[in-house]
Short mmCIF file of all heavy atoms in Angstrom, two decimals:
data_model
loop_
_atom_site.label_atom_id
_atom_site.label_comp_id
_atom_site.label_asym_id
_atom_site.label_seq_id
_atom_site.Cartn_x
_atom_site.Cartn_y
_atom_site.Cartn_z
N GLY A 1 26.09 -98.40 80.81
CA GLY A 1 27.41 -98.88 81.19
C GLY A 1 27.98 -99.79 80.13
O GLY A 1 27.31 -100.20 79.19
N VAL A 2 29.28 -100.17 80.27
CA VAL A 2 29.96 -101.05 79.35
C VAL A 2 30.81 -102.02 80.14
O VAL A 2 31.43 -101.63 81.13
CB VAL A 2 30.82 -100.24 78.36
CG1 VAL A 2 31.88 -99.44 79.07
CG2 VAL A 2 31.47 -101.18 77.35
N SER A 3 30.82 -103.26 79.72
CA SER A 3 31.68 -104.25 80.34
C SER A 3 32.70 -104.69 79.31
O SER A 3 32.37 -104.87 78.15
CB SER A 3 30.86 -105.45 80.83
OG SER A 3 30.22 -106.07 79.73
N GLY A 4 33.92 -104.90 79.72
CA GLY A 4 35.01 -105.20 78.79
C GLY A 4 35.75 -103.93 78.45
O GLY A 4 35.46 -102.85 78.95
N GLY A 5 36.72 -104.00 77.61
CA GLY A 5 37.47 -102.82 77.22
C GLY A 5 38.32 -103.11 76.01
O GLY A 5 39.41 -102.59 75.86
N ARG A 6 37.86 -103.95 75.10
CA ARG A 6 38.63 -104.34 73.94
C ARG A 6 38.47 -103.30 72.84
O ARG A 6 37.54 -102.50 72.84
CB ARG A 6 38.17 -105.72 73.48
CG ARG A 6 38.35 -106.79 74.54
CD ARG A 6 37.74 -108.09 74.12
NE ARG A 6 38.37 -108.54 72.89
CZ ARG A 6 37.97 -109.62 72.26
NH1 ARG A 6 36.95 -110.32 72.71
NH2 ARG A 6 38.56 -109.99 71.15
N PRO A 7 39.37 -103.31 71.86
CA PRO A 7 39.33 -102.27 70.82
C PRO A 7 38.04 -102.35 70.03
O PRO A 7 37.50 -103.41 69.77
CB PRO A 7 40.54 -102.61 69.95
CG PRO A 7 41.41 -103.47 70.80
CD PRO A 7 40.50 -104.19 71.73
N LEU A 8 37.60 -101.17 69.59
CA LEU A 8 36.43 -101.08 68.74
C LEU A 8 36.79 -101.38 67.29
O LEU A 8 36.09 -102.08 66.58
CB LEU A 8 35.81 -99.68 68.82
CG LEU A 8 35.01 -99.40 70.09
CD1 LEU A 8 34.54 -97.96 70.06
CD2 LEU A 8 33.83 -100.34 70.25
N ALA A 9 37.86 -100.82 66.83
CA ALA A 9 38.27 -101.02 65.44
C ALA A 9 39.76 -100.88 65.37
O ALA A 9 40.30 -99.91 65.88
CB ALA A 9 37.60 -99.99 64.53
N GLY A 10 40.43 -101.90 64.70
CA GLY A 10 41.88 -102.01 64.57
C GLY A 10 42.66 -100.83 65.07
O GLY A 10 42.60 -99.73 64.59
N GLY A 11 43.34 -100.98 66.12
CA GLY A 11 44.13 -99.90 66.68
C GLY A 11 43.90 -99.81 68.17
O GLY A 11 43.58 -100.77 68.85
N ASP A 12 44.07 -98.62 68.70
CA ASP A 12 43.95 -98.42 70.14
C ASP A 12 42.65 -97.74 70.52
O ASP A 12 42.54 -97.15 71.58
CB ASP A 12 45.13 -97.58 70.64
CG ASP A 12 45.26 -96.29 69.87
OD1 ASP A 12 44.46 -96.09 68.93
OD2 ASP A 12 46.13 -95.49 70.21
N ALA A 13 41.66 -97.75 69.63
CA ALA A 13 40.38 -97.12 69.95
C ALA A 13 39.58 -98.05 70.83
O ALA A 13 39.05 -99.05 70.38
CB ALA A 13 39.62 -96.79 68.68
N THR A 14 39.51 -97.79 72.10
CA THR A 14 38.76 -98.61 73.05
C THR A 14 37.69 -97.78 73.71
O THR A 14 37.73 -96.55 73.72
CB THR A 14 39.70 -99.16 74.13
OG1 THR A 14 40.36 -98.07 74.77
CG2 THR A 14 40.77 -100.06 73.50
N MET A 15 36.70 -98.46 74.27
CA MET A 15 35.62 -97.76 74.96
C MET A 15 36.14 -97.17 76.26
O MET A 15 36.78 -97.86 77.05
CB MET A 15 34.47 -98.72 75.26
CG MET A 15 33.75 -99.24 74.03
SD MET A 15 32.38 -100.25 74.51
CE MET A 15 31.82 -100.78 72.92
N PRO A 16 35.88 -95.91 76.50
CA PRO A 16 36.25 -95.33 77.80
C PRO A 16 35.39 -95.93 78.90
O PRO A 16 34.18 -96.09 78.74
CB PRO A 16 36.00 -93.84 77.61
CG PRO A 16 34.99 -93.74 76.52
CD PRO A 16 35.24 -94.90 75.62
N VAL A 17 35.99 -96.30 79.99
CA VAL A 17 35.28 -96.93 81.12
C VAL A 17 35.33 -95.98 82.31
O VAL A 17 36.39 -95.47 82.67
CB VAL A 17 35.93 -98.28 81.46
CG1 VAL A 17 35.22 -98.92 82.62
CG2 VAL A 17 35.88 -99.19 80.23
N ASP A 18 34.20 -95.77 82.93
CA ASP A 18 34.10 -94.91 84.11
C ASP A 18 33.68 -95.78 85.28
O ASP A 18 32.59 -96.35 85.28
CB ASP A 18 33.08 -93.80 83.86
CG ASP A 18 33.02 -92.83 85.03
OD1 ASP A 18 33.87 -92.95 85.91
OD2 ASP A 18 32.12 -91.96 85.02
N THR A 19 34.53 -95.91 86.27
CA THR A 19 34.25 -96.76 87.43
C THR A 19 33.81 -95.96 88.63
O THR A 19 33.80 -96.47 89.75
CB THR A 19 35.50 -97.56 87.79
OG1 THR A 19 36.57 -96.63 88.04
CG2 THR A 19 35.91 -98.46 86.64
N ALA A 20 33.43 -94.68 88.41
CA ALA A 20 32.99 -93.86 89.54
C ALA A 20 31.56 -94.23 89.91
O ALA A 20 30.84 -94.89 89.20
CB ALA A 20 33.07 -92.38 89.17
N GLY A 21 31.12 -93.74 91.02
CA GLY A 21 29.74 -93.94 91.48
C GLY A 21 29.57 -95.29 92.11
O GLY A 21 30.23 -95.64 93.07
N ASP A 22 28.66 -96.10 91.53
CA ASP A 22 28.34 -97.38 92.12
C ASP A 22 29.27 -98.48 91.67
O ASP A 22 29.01 -99.65 91.94
CB ASP A 22 26.88 -97.76 91.81
CG ASP A 22 26.64 -97.74 90.31
OD1 ASP A 22 27.60 -97.42 89.56
OD2 ASP A 22 25.52 -98.05 89.88
N GLY A 23 30.36 -98.16 90.96
CA GLY A 23 31.34 -99.17 90.57
C GLY A 23 31.09 -99.77 89.21
O GLY A 23 31.91 -100.53 88.71
N GLU A 24 29.94 -99.48 88.58
CA GLU A 24 29.67 -100.02 87.26
C GLU A 24 30.12 -99.01 86.21
O GLU A 24 29.93 -97.81 86.38
CB GLU A 24 28.17 -100.32 87.11
CG GLU A 24 27.71 -101.48 87.96
CD GLU A 24 26.39 -101.99 87.48
OE1 GLU A 24 25.95 -101.52 86.42
OE2 GLU A 24 25.82 -102.85 88.16
N PRO A 25 30.73 -99.47 85.12
CA PRO A 25 31.19 -98.55 84.07
C PRO A 25 30.00 -97.86 83.43
O PRO A 25 28.95 -98.45 83.22
CB PRO A 25 31.91 -99.47 83.08
CG PRO A 25 31.35 -100.83 83.32
CD PRO A 25 31.01 -100.89 84.78
N ALA A 26 30.19 -96.59 83.06
CA ALA A 26 29.14 -95.77 82.46
C ALA A 26 29.71 -95.03 81.27
O ALA A 26 30.90 -94.70 81.24
CB ALA A 26 28.57 -94.79 83.47
N LEU A 27 28.87 -94.80 80.24
CA LEU A 27 29.26 -94.07 79.04
C LEU A 27 28.40 -92.84 78.91
O LEU A 27 27.20 -92.87 79.16
CB LEU A 27 29.08 -94.96 77.80
CG LEU A 27 30.01 -96.17 77.66
CD1 LEU A 27 29.63 -96.97 76.44
CD2 LEU A 27 31.45 -95.73 77.60
N SER A 28 29.05 -91.76 78.47
CA SER A 28 28.32 -90.52 78.24
C SER A 28 27.69 -90.54 76.86
O SER A 28 27.95 -91.44 76.04
CB SER A 28 29.26 -89.33 78.39
OG SER A 28 30.27 -89.39 77.40
N ALA A 29 26.89 -89.52 76.59
CA ALA A 29 26.23 -89.43 75.29
C ALA A 29 27.25 -89.22 74.17
O ALA A 29 27.11 -89.77 73.07
CB ALA A 29 25.21 -88.29 75.30
N ASP A 30 28.31 -88.43 74.42
CA ASP A 30 29.34 -88.21 73.40
C ASP A 30 30.08 -89.50 73.06
O ASP A 30 30.39 -89.77 71.89
CB ASP A 30 30.34 -87.15 73.88
CG ASP A 30 29.68 -85.79 74.04
OD1 ASP A 30 28.62 -85.56 73.39
OD2 ASP A 30 30.21 -84.96 74.79
#
């Protein structure tokens, strides 16, 4: 999972957040 949602590198590239399931954000392998 990931907490927060700030840009990774100058611009609008942010970590995708998935709030499904138990409510905690999760990231896929891709």
Side-chain angles (χ1 to χ4, degrees):
V2 61
S3 61
R6 300 173 60 184
L8 284 176
D12 54 357
T14 57
M15 293 184 184
V17 179
D18 184 8
T19 57
D22 56 359
E24 291 197 7
L27 292 177
S28 63
D30 295 338

